[in-house]
Amino acid sequence: ADNEIARLNVRAAHQEALQVVRSCELCSPGASSMAIRGDQKIFAVGGWDSEVYVFGYRKCKPLARLKAGMP
């Protein structure tokens, strides 16, 4: 597991290798899921540490870190 999320240029993939556009760093390694909001302004990553990380889509700027509440 790694603690980096990368945005790739898939359109350039047919030419050579995948091209990293931007990358974001998580506080701890391991991402289990990711969702991009419909307007493509933010995305969220669910981590193995039971936290959700929210980033700005364009610049991969961290916006929030949400801790899971246990019942």
Side-chain angles (χ1 to χ4, degrees):
D2 200 357
N3 65 335
E4 187 175 20
I5 301 293
R7 191 170 99 193
L8 305 172
N9 184 350
V10 179
R11 291 185 185 123
H14 71 277
Q15 297 170 359
E16 292 179 22
L18 290 175
Q19 189 177 34
V20 176
V21 176
R22 296 248 188 238
S23 63
C24 312
E25 192 171 316
L26 299 175
C27 295
S28 60
S32 59
S33 60
M34 185 177 104
I36 302 172
R37 195 165 73 178
D39 61 5
Q40 294 187 346
K41 292 191 177 191
I42 64 171
F43 68 96
V45 178
W48 289 352
D49 57 0
S50 299
E51 295 185 357
V52 176
Y53 301 90
V54 182
F55 294 92
Y57 183 81
R58 226 170 116 214
K59 296 185 179 181
C60 277
K61 180 181 175 184
L63 301 176
R65 181 176 162 191
L66 309 171
K67 295 184 180 187
M70 299 301 284

